[in-house]
Amino acid sequence: MRVGILTGGGDCPGLNAVIRGAVRKGVKAHGHEFVGFRDGWRGPLENDTMPLGVDEVRRILPRGGTILGSSRTNPFAVEGGVDRIKENLESNGCDALIAIGGEDTLGVATKLADVGVNVVGVPKTIDNDLSGTDFTFGFDTAVNIVMEAVDRLHTTAESHHRVIIVEVMGRHAGWIALHSGLAAGANIILIPERPFDIEKVCAQVESRFATSYSPIIVVAEGAIPKEGTMELVSGEVDAFGHVRLGGIADRLAKEIEGRTGKEARAVVLGHIQRGGSPTAFDRWLATRFGLHAIQAVTDGDFGIMVALNRTEIIRVPLSEGTKELKVVRPDLYDEVEVLFG
Ligand code: F6P
């Protein structure tokens, strides 16, 4: 068989491990050939390809990013986009396509599967907010990066008797904030699923100072105040209509400083969370996803996505991964809230 592979959406550590796992097993165990499509759906849309074989996947396991490149191209927003993708898959002799991506990339894959494209999905996002899988790869790396940053921020916050507000990724789901904040002993964690009460946050800040410690707040970029009084978004949107976020930490710093009189600084970790080498867990998960994805292709089992269920890799319908966002359950947040302040 000849199999196309693409990586779409925000990059994330572990993408190369998936590609490597799929290609090495595909060539060695099944005699498949591969073609790499560059920059997500832009590749098959514009017929932009690159060679992809065992040589190309050597030494990429520890590398962050994706050797195939990525973009947020939405072929359904392009006139004739779907037909162009079908034609280009055919002209490259592709019998199947492995699409590695998050909500948007897999959403496109689901629709393409419905119109007869032989596609297998691999769930990816540092946000860990895809349903159908217990974890996505990239998440563990992001959490570890944030944890290390917060560990460092504790000492500088204490030296200067400051509040430090650390903004992390997560537009709709607070998984990164919750896991990293818990792991690094943040004093307050704010997530999109639980609109915050600014007065309560300030009281927790004061109580922390009262015990001679400096508070660290970990806030997800999509967190919102209860009252809805703080203007938080720029209004810009991407090709999938998502609002570009950013700025909540800055807003909070000003608000907290104004209300408590304590010096407050914002640290936005941004794309640092997506960069660099994947953790062992993410390499393990991503490699297994790659191995299972190529097995599904070989079995002719299309319109599915590979997923982690406890410790097993299973196959679920592609639509399963994108039908709803997996957000933080209220009881999980309640469980850690007792540590705040
Ligand atoms: O979906 C992954 C993600 O990193 C989100 O956490 C974040 O909101 C978004 O991508 C940022 O997108 P971009 O890289 O396009 O700024």
Side-chain angles (χ1 to χ4, degrees), residues 177-204:
L178 189 75
H179 281 229
S180 62
L182 184 66
N187 310 114
I188 303 170
I189 301 170
L190 304 176
I191 62 172
E193 294 87 336
R194 184 70 65 96
F196 61 85
D197 175 345
I198 187 68
E199 278 179 21
K200 190 169 165 193
V201 169
C202 288
Q204 287 167 331

Side-chain angles (χ1 to χ4, degrees), residues 10-11 72 124-127 169-171 176 221 238 244-245 271 274:
D11 71 325
R72 295 193 187 275
K124 159 260 45 153
T125 168
I126 63 161
D127 298 340
M169 283 187 170
R171 320 165 188 236
I176 295 178
E221 61 186 339
D238 67 16
R244 290 214 169 90
L245 297 172
H271 293 85
R274 295 215 309 240

Side-chain angles (χ1 to χ4, degrees), residues 28-337:
K28 199 171 167 191
H30 306 296
H32 296 329
E33 288 177 1
F34 290 85
V35 54
F37 287 101
R38 291 184 203 270
D39 302 342
W41 292 113
R42 193 189 68 73
L45 193 64
E46 297 176 9
N47 202 21
D48 192 355
T49 64
M50 62 175 264
L52 191 58
V54 172
D55 282 348
E56 283 76 20
V57 301
R58 280 194 217 287
R59 293 183 289 277
I60 67 170
L61 177 62
R63 253 169 75 181
T66 160
I67 59 165
L68 296 175
S70 191
S71 75
R72 295 193 187 275
T73 307
N74 180 1
F76 284 90
V78 176
E79 177 93 25
V82 174
D83 290 336
R84 272 161 61 189
I85 285 186
K86 284 178 155 180
E87 280 159 27
N88 290 330
L89 286 174
E90 205 179 311
S91 68
N92 282 288
C94 288
D95 306 296
L97 180 68
I98 295 177
I100 311 167
E103 191 196 348
D104 299 327
T105 306
L106 296 183
V108 170
T110 307
K111 289 197 217 162
L112 289 176
D114 290 344
V115 295
V117 177
N118 290 339
V119 58
V120 164
V122 176
K124 159 260 45 153
T125 168
I126 63 161
D127 298 340
N128 196 41
D129 58 0
L130 288 178
S131 50
T133 184
D134 288 352
F135 283 101
T136 50
F137 65 86
F139 172 65
D140 186 63
T141 306
V143 166
N144 275 283
I145 291 168
V146 178
M147 180 188 73
E148 198 195 316
V150 174
D151 282 350
R152 290 171 188 276
L153 290 167
H154 273 297
T155 59
T156 173
E158 271 163 30
S159 304
H160 291 270
H161 318 289
R162 283 174 178 153
V163 187
I164 294 197
I165 299 129
V166 188
E167 182 176 311
V168 302
M169 283 187 170
R171 320 165 188 236
H172 308 293
W175 292 111
I176 295 178
L178 189 75
H179 281 229
S180 62
L182 184 66
N187 310 114
I188 303 170
I189 301 170
L190 304 176
I191 62 172
E193 294 87 336
R194 184 70 65 96
F196 61 85
D197 175 345
I198 187 68
E199 278 179 21
K200 190 169 165 193
V201 169
C202 288
Q204 287 167 331
V205 163
E206 305 269 25
S207 91
R208 188 71 185 169
F209 275 118
T211 54
S212 17
Y213 287 104
S214 294
I216 302 275
I217 302 175
V218 173
V219 58
E221 61 186 339
I224 46 165
K226 239 181 196 165
E227 313 82 39
T229 50
M230 290 155 72
E231 186 55 45
L232 303 173
V233 295
S234 67
E236 285 174 65
V237 291
D238 67 16
F240 284 90
H242 300 306
V243 171
R244 290 214 169 90
L245 297 172
I248 180 69
D250 231 25
R251 297 275 169 176
L252 271 168
K254 289 192 181 84
E255 198 74 24
I256 290 169
E257 219 171 69
R259 286 173 185 252
T260 66
K262 306 285 187 205
E263 190 181 1
R265 295 292 177 92
V267 174
V268 181
L269 293 180
H271 293 85
I272 288 173
Q273 295 160 88
R274 295 215 309 240
S277 194
T279 57
F281 178 83
D282 281 338
R283 295 182 200 192
W284 172 86
L285 181 59
T287 300
R288 292 192 72 205
F289 275 172
L291 298 175
H292 282 259
I294 198 62
Q295 191 59 51
V297 166
T298 309
D299 297 344
D301 195 1
F302 300 116
I304 63 99
M305 132 186 144
V306 293
L308 180 69
N309 182 263
R310 294 168 179 264
T311 58
E312 302 301 318
I313 308 295
I314 59 166
R315 298 175 190 175
V316 299
L318 256 174
S319 54
E320 191 69 20
T322 51
K323 72 170 190 231
E324 60 184 2
L325 273 191
K326 184 179 70 186
V327 293
V328 174
R329 293 194 322 264
D331 63 297
L332 271 180
Y333 190 79
D334 294 343
E335 186 181 298
V336 302
E337 205 181 7

